[in-house]
Amino acid sequence: IRGVKSIWAAHDLRDVLVDQDIKIISFDHWQPELDEALSCLPEADLFPHELFRTLMMMAEPKKRRILLITKRGVPIGLVGLRNRRGYWEPVTHWIVPGVLFPIQEGCLECILTEVLPSLGIEIQIGWWRWEMPPPLNKYAWGLSSSPTFQMHLSEDVEEYWRSTRNMKNIRQYRNRCRQFTLEVNKPGDAEWVLKNNEEKLLPAGLAEIPDLAEKIAVSRYLEDRNLYYTLSLRDGDRRVAGATLIKHGNDAVAHTFYRDHQYNWHGVGTRLVELSFHWAKEMGFRRMDVGGSFEYKHKWAPEEGRKWAFEICPWPLYVKNWILRMGRRGWDRISHRASSAV
């Protein structure tokens, strides 16, 4: 079949791919066979097959991998990978919670611990809002875990904020933001938040944001289905802060945040976070998940849940990449000291 090549070979994968009934077929372009395979796989509410297909077709051919996984000829998964920052990652990486790619129920562990290591590439995995820790084996490296913070909205949120000494700041910034208004899902707001937040975090040496177009595509798709919300705080017609939220189950999940630093004195960030809690409660959400990574979040919600990040990679390649990274860091230190001396 044109555009299709088998990359499964028992003698090459004997030390990784234990189940010899499993085959991996790589597609250079989207083919009708992939739609047929998707029809056999379950859909996640936040990640229907249409959205998966859209994201994979958006990617440049040289920076994507579409892999059909079968067992005894039956599809058990359709893996979509993107090379965004010099390494591979699921197309959903830190964009859509609780899903990596379309996978048959009960086959996730096999794909993570056997199939992905057999590809011979380094794959970054973000494990976010899953009900269980990630299944790991000897091909998983660099595991890190951090708490996430969630508030049950049936509880008295202000009582919790008083217990963390957050209420004083909240009251102060309420007063300073009295003239500002809250808007929900105004046209262009999601794109404004995503673009500004990504530009703020753009690493040195990158001319463009690798996954911005995909994030915007996801926001538009899910917003049309009442699964994605953008809350913006405005000074007249000017946006001064914005937050995007994803509906995952019956939880409002904080996704992306940005504030105009010219309004730092007003505390627009604090004010918008407070308003997000009240809005989520009025909308009937069960919990507000403010995520993790930053210690200040415990002031908004108690610790409940964890997220993980790790790499899947055959050990020879991991060691090689580790040596190269250490070499680059050493060279960067030498270059920095030399330029400082000059």
Side-chain angles (χ1 to χ4, degrees):
I1 301 172
R2 180 177 296 176
V4 184
K5 55 184 179 181
S6 173
I7 63 168
W8 177 77
H11 65 279
D12 291 332
L13 308 180
R14 190 177 295 118
D15 61 333
V16 177
L17 196 54
V18 177
D19 192 333
Q20 299 301 305
D21 290 326
I22 291 178
K23 292 188 178 181
I24 309 169
I25 304 173
S26 175
F27 288 74
D28 296 323
H29 305 285
W30 195 269
Q31 301 282 346
E33 289 82 359
L34 297 176
D35 289 310
E36 294 174 13
L38 280 177
S39 68
C40 304
L41 300 172
E43 288 184 287
D45 291 341
L46 275 178
F47 199 56
H49 297 334
E50 182 183 16
L51 182 55
F52 174 74
R53 183 190 305 110
T54 297
L55 293 183
M56 294 314 302
M57 293 177 70
M58 286 176 64
E60 300 175 34
K62 292 183 179 179
K63 293 186 177 181
R64 72 181 173 202
R65 293 191 117 179
I66 309 171
L67 307 168
L68 173 59
I69 318 300
T70 66
K71 184 170 184 177
R72 302 187 191 98
V74 177
I76 63 169
L78 191 54
V79 172
L81 300 174
R82 280 277 279 114
N83 193 314
R84 292 190 175 114
R85 299 169 181 84
Y87 50 79
W88 295 92
E89 57 193 25
V91 71
T92 55
H93 190 67
W94 300 125
I95 299 177
V96 183
V99 62
L100 298 178
F101 2 78
I103 297 176
Q104 196 61 256
E105 187 175 351
C107 296
L108 177 60
E109 182 172 356
C110 167
I111 288 177
L112 279 177
T113 61
E114 296 183 31
V115 173
L116 295 187
S118 76
L119 301 178
I121 57 177
E122 183 178 5
I123 305 171
Q124 304 278 339
I125 302 289
W127 194 261
W128 173 38
R129 284 190 60 83
W130 291 78
E131 294 180 357
M132 70 290 193
L136 303 172
N137 66 357
K138 62 183 178 180
Y139 301 107
W141 306 85
L143 178 68
S144 63
S145 174
S146 59
T148 57
F149 303 91
Q150 304 176 42
M151 171 66 75
H152 288 260
L153 296 174
S154 59
E155 300 176 8
D156 186 341
V157 294
E158 293 196 358
E159 179 61 31
Y160 179 81
W161 295 339
R162 280 189 285 271
S163 73
T164 59
R165 300 182 179 179
N166 197 23
M167 203 62 208
K168 180 179 179 182
N169 285 336
I170 290 172
R171 289 197 186 99
Q172 180 184 50
Y173 295 136
R174 275 180 192 167
N175 291 329
R176 293 183 182 181
C177 294
R178 279 195 308 269
Q179 73 273 28
F180 302 153
T181 57
L182 179 69
E183 299 284 358
V184 180
N185 283 357
K186 295 286 283 188
D189 278 2
E191 189 169 335
W192 179 81
V193 174
L194 293 168
K195 276 187 175 180
N196 282 284
N197 179 72
E198 293 293 307
E199 288 173 0
K200 178 183 68 176
L201 302 174
L202 185 65
L206 282 182
E208 59 183 12
I209 304 156
D211 56 357
L212 177 60
E214 292 157 312
K215 288 181 176 179
I216 291 174
V218 169
S219 73
R220 290 172 178 167
Y221 185 92
L222 296 180
E223 183 179 308
D224 288 342
R225 290 153 181 80
N226 297 317
L227 295 170
Y228 194 98
Y229 299 91
T230 305
L231 278 59
S232 62
L233 200 61
R234 294 171 181 259
D235 180 7
D237 292 331
R238 178 174 179 173
R239 304 180 182 100
V240 297
T244 65
L245 303 167
I246 290 180
K247 183 180 187 294
H248 188 213
N250 198 27
D251 294 350
V253 181
H255 190 244
T256 308
F257 183 86
Y258 179 76
R259 71 178 188 275
D260 185 335
H261 291 280
Q262 294 185 35
Y263 286 80
N264 280 353
W265 179 85
H266 294 85
V268 291
T270 298
R271 178 60 174 155
L272 184 56
V273 174
E274 181 207 356
L275 289 171
S276 299
F277 275 84
H278 295 308
W279 172 85
K281 186 169 185 175
E282 290 173 6
M283 289 288 290
F285 284 100
R286 180 184 61 155
R287 287 184 302 190
M288 180 72 174
D289 182 346
V290 296
S293 302
F294 299 98
E295 181 62 25
Y296 77 85
K297 291 184 178 181
H298 85 275
K299 294 183 177 181
W300 290 101
E303 180 180 332
E304 185 175 329
R306 300 191 73 80
K307 64 178 182 176
W308 287 264
F310 57 98
E311 302 166 22
I312 293 176
C313 189
W315 75 265
L317 179 61
Y318 181 82
V319 171
K320 174 186 173 182
N321 290 345
W322 182 84
I323 292 172
L324 289 174
R325 281 192 289 264
M326 292 302 101
R328 288 194 200 100
R329 289 177 187 174
W331 177 252
D332 288 344
R333 290 193 194 100
I334 293 170
S335 300
H336 177 72
R337 289 174 183 170
S339 78
S340 297
V342 171

